[in-house]
Amino acid sequence: MHRLFVAIRPPAHIRALLLGAMGGISGARWQSEDQLHLTLRFIGEVDRHRAGDVHAALGAVRQAPFEIALSGIGAFDRRGWPDAVWAGVAPHEPLKALHKKVDAALARVGVPPDQRAFLPHITLARLKRNSGTVGNLLAQSGGLSSPPFTVDDFALFESTLTPDRAVYAIVERYSLAASSRSTIGA
C-alpha cells in the first residue's frame, strides 16, 4: 500500500524563510526542510494499481503557472486547543482552481472527492495539547511574507510514517506549463 498526497514544494529560498520563522513554542514538533509543502489533496492509502491510475490522472491536469507569496502565520485549533501552526499563502484563487482540477482528476479514477474545505497553507509545526502558547510566535512572525514565487509544477508524494516523523518522497512531478510531465531523475 502507498500513502499518497498531492502537493506543491516551495522553492529553496521560501523553505529557508519558513525555517527561519520556526521556534518559540515548547513541545512543538517543527517540520524539517524536507517536509515543507502545500498540500493540494490528501489521497491516503492506495494499492499499486490505484497508484498507477492516480499518476495517470494527475498527468492530465492542466493549468497555467501562477505566482503566490507567503502571507502570515496562523494556527488551527481542535476543541479550543491549537494543534498546528501554519504559514499562509496568497492569493488563494489559483490554488483553489488547481485543487479543484486535481480533485476532479482523482474522482475520474475512483478516488472519492475531498470533503474538507480547502485552505491553502504550509504546515510549520504540529502541537500537542500541552505545547507552549502560540501567541508569541504569532505576534513575532504573524507578518511573515515573501516576494511572489512561481508555481510551475506540483508533485505526487508518498508518505511513510516512522516513530519519529513522517518521511515524504516525491514520486512524480507534473509541470503546469508543459503538456508532458517531468520524471524524477530525468
Side-chain angles (χ1 to χ4, degrees):
M1 296 297 278
H2 302 275
R3 188 170 190 261
L4 302 176
F5 65 94
V6 181
I8 295 166
R9 177 90 164 128
H13 70 282
I14 297 298
R15 295 191 310 267
L17 276 172
L18 294 168
L19 291 170
M22 294 179 188
I25 302 173
S26 64
R29 287 188 341 249
W30 296 99
Q31 300 289 88
S32 63
E33 187 273 339
D34 62 324
Q35 291 176 307
L36 294 172
H37 66 275
L38 188 156
T39 301
L40 291 169
R41 178 66 157 74
F42 180 73
I43 298 169
E45 298 271 342
V46 298
D47 62 23
R48 186 173 53 86
H49 176 72
R50 178 62 54 92
D53 291 346
V54 164
H55 166 61
L58 293 174
V61 171
R62 298 289 174 261
Q63 180 168 319
F66 55 89
E67 288 190 336
I68 59 174
L70 296 179
S71 180
I73 289 183
F76 291 127
D77 65 50
R78 183 175 295 166
R79 299 184 187 118
W81 295 93
D83 70 345
V85 174
W86 48 264
V89 293
H92 286 184
E93 292 75 23
L95 291 163
K96 287 183 175 185
L98 183 56
H99 166 76
K100 283 183 179 182
K101 289 176 183 181
V102 166
D103 211 28
L106 294 173
R108 286 191 290 275
V109 296
V111 177
D114 196 356
Q115 298 300 313
R116 295 173 290 179
F118 178 64
L119 175 63
H121 68 280
I122 300 169
T123 300
L124 300 179
R126 306 231 182 257
L127 307 174
K128 296 179 183 175
R129 189 171 176 141
N130 61 352
S131 293
T133 180
V134 299
N136 288 342
L137 175 68
L138 296 179
Q140 293 171 0
S141 300
L144 176 70
S145 64
S146 72
F149 58 95
T150 301
V151 174
D152 55 11
D153 69 6
F154 65 95
L156 177 63
F157 284 78
E158 184 165 7
S159 173
T160 304
L161 301 178
T162 71
D164 297 327
R165 66 185 186 117
V167 176
Y168 304 139
I170 294 176
V171 175
E172 192 74 44
R173 285 188 188 273
Y174 305 91
S175 175
L176 292 177
S179 60
S180 63
R181 66 186 183 279
S182 63
T183 303
I184 302 304

